[in-house]
Structure formats: C-alpha cells, structure tokens
Amino acid sequence: MEDICEKLLKEVERSYGETGKLSDDLLSALNCLFHGTLLSALELVDKSSVTKMTSPSGRTVFQVIGASGAPYLCLPNLNYCSCPAYNFSVLKKEEHLMCKHVLAMRLSQAMNRCKKLDVTNEEITSMILSLD
C-alpha cells in the first residue's frame, strides 16, 4: 500500500508540475487510496495551511493549521502528526494510511505549495520535544 501511495504522490508532483492541476483520473486514484481524508487535505492545501519550517542544521518539520484553526506538527520522514485523529484512526484503529494533515503536508510538498519559514535550531528542537 505504501508503494502505491508513493507512486501516486510522485504522479501528483509530475502532473501538477506540468499542468498546474490534478487530472480527474489522478484525483479518483487518490480518493480510492485516501477515502475520507482527501477532500479535507486538498482544502488545507488550497487554504495555504501548510508551512515547511527548516532550521540551519537542515532539520525540517511542517506545521499544518487544521480546519478548527489548531496547529499540528507533522514530521515528514515518519508521516507523523500530533493531531488526535492520527493517534486514533492511523495508529490505534489502522483505518487510514495517514491523517488529513499528513496528507496535506505530502500533497503540498508534491505540488510545491508549502509556505516556507526559517527557524532556529533551538526552535525546531523545542517543537520536536513538545510532541507527546
């Protein structure tokens, strides 16, 4: 399943890079894999809710502002999110591959639609240490 996910996200990157949009076929494939979270994730991307934060040491985390306005921290290499839905639906119940915030992070990366923010090494360390 993860291989299919990676292939689809690569296709998002290629397709969006060439045309500036996602085809109906690609959206259908994404919807089959990410049923229930795709529309919400795309709304977060459209609202520019994803910020890529990078420190001088090269560490990167993402902050995704959820629909309620709450900020969630996402770790790209782990596909981890600090939201309650990630803990419940992804980890405990294994109903989804990822929550809408992680999907928004991955889509915005593929579509090059992340806001970018430079932070200090201390700030990024503090963010990571604040995770439960």
Side-chain angles (χ1 to χ4, degrees):
M1 210 50 127
E2 290 177 21
D3 285 344
I4 294 169
C5 173
E6 293 305 317
K7 287 178 183 175
L8 277 175
L9 290 168
K10 284 285 185 198
E11 182 57 23
V12 166
E13 184 176 3
R14 187 200 64 74
S15 178
Y16 195 83
E18 289 177 5
T19 66
K21 62 181 184 174
L22 302 178
S23 70
D24 289 343
D25 288 342
L26 184 53
L27 286 169
S28 292
L30 287 166
N31 193 48
C32 285
L33 191 60
F34 300 111
H35 57 88
T37 58
L38 179 63
L39 184 58
S40 297
L42 287 171
E43 286 175 359
L44 292 172
V45 173
D46 283 343
K47 291 179 180 178
S48 298
S49 297
V50 181
T51 302
K52 179 180 181 179
M53 296 181 283
T54 306
S55 70
S57 66
R59 289 185 287 176
T60 299
V61 297
F62 287 79
Q63 183 181 62
V64 180
I65 304 300
S68 67
Y72 299 108
L73 196 64
C74 296
L75 304 178
N77 295 334
L78 302 174
N79 283 333
Y80 170 84
C81 181
S82 62
C83 76
Y86 178 85
N87 191 35
F88 185 73
S89 296
V90 177
L91 295 180
K92 287 186 180 168
K93 294 192 88 180
E94 298 181 356
E95 292 176 337
H96 299 287
L97 289 174
M98 55 188 74
C99 68
K100 66 183 176 183
H101 309 109
V102 170
L103 183 55
M105 171 190 71
R106 299 291 307 272
L107 288 169
S108 64
Q109 280 182 285
M111 299 163 74
N112 197 23
R113 301 227 7 225
C114 302
K115 293 187 273 184
K116 293 175 177 54
L117 179 65
D118 292 327
V119 296
T120 67
N121 290 327
E122 292 77 16
E123 287 172 317
I124 209 161
T125 298
S126 177
M127 284 183 256
I128 293 169
L129 290 175
S130 73
L131 295 172
D132 292 335

